[in-house]
Amino acid sequence: KILAIDLLKIKKIENIQNLEGDFTNFRTQEQIREHFDSKVDVVLSDMAANTTGNKNIDSIKTGELCKESIFFAKDILKLDGKFVAKFFLGSVFNEIIKVAKETFKEINIYKPKASRKESKESYLICKYLRI
């Protein structure tokens, strides 16, 4: 099963269920959990807050989404599960890394070559939940 969450209204894609909602809302997270009857192998978060133009505020808001998705992943992932999330480098970077290290045994930061050099966009890649 694949569950795609998109805050924008998009045309339905075959073999995918779309859930529209605010991820920071407990009920939205419950709807995601209810979709699966067991723990999952991967949690992939490409969430980003609406940008304001202020890179510091934008990195903080998206960083908070990243941390929230780590907490969610801890609850829904299998022990050997993988987690990937987008975030923007900024003042919350150390907090994100701290939460990731407390949650996963292995973490890496990746900036895709396709990403513009001036972009603060990076990806957090984590493996193996800590018990």
Side-chain angles (χ1 to χ4, degrees):
K1 291 182 181 177
I2 298 174
L3 177 67
I5 301 170
D6 193 332
L7 298 180
L8 303 174
K9 298 205 185 267
I10 60 172
K11 291 182 182 179
K12 185 169 175 119
I13 301 170
E14 288 189 40
N15 299 320
I16 292 181
Q17 290 182 327
N18 288 302
L19 171 64
E20 185 177 332
D22 177 352
F23 182 74
T24 62
N25 182 297
F26 176 77
R27 183 63 193 130
T28 301
Q29 291 184 21
E30 276 302 304
Q31 287 176 306
I32 296 168
R33 283 184 191 90
E34 290 167 2
H35 180 77
F36 299 100
D37 50 7
S38 64
K39 299 281 185 169
V40 300
D41 296 306
V42 177
V43 170
L44 172 63
S45 169
D46 193 36
M47 293 186 287
N50 291 334
T51 57
T52 64
N54 181 320
K55 291 185 180 188
N56 289 332
I57 292 173
D58 295 342
S59 73
I60 290 168
K61 287 183 176 182
T62 299
E64 291 302 317
L65 282 173
C66 183
K67 290 191 308 187
E68 184 70 27
S69 63
I70 292 171
F71 299 137
F72 179 78
K74 182 177 183 179
D75 184 49
I76 198 169
L77 273 176
K78 294 178 181 177
L79 285 178
D80 63 344
K82 313 305 185 277
F83 172 78
V84 179
K86 175 171 49 183
F87 70 99
F88 297 127
L89 291 171
S91 61
V92 294
F93 175 76
N94 289 335
E95 286 181 54
I96 293 168
I97 297 307
K98 180 180 183 275
V99 171
K101 284 183 176 180
E102 291 170 352
T103 308
F104 295 94
K105 295 177 183 176
E106 186 178 318
I107 67 163
N108 293 289
I109 306 300
Y110 178 73
K111 180 165 178 67
K113 291 179 183 175
S115 181
R116 296 182 320 259
K117 288 183 181 181
E118 66 274 5
S119 172
K120 293 187 175 272
E121 177 185 72
S122 289
Y123 289 85
L124 175 65
I125 303 168
C126 303
K127 298 178 187 178
Y128 315 116
L129 281 173
R130 293 187 185 275
I131 301 174

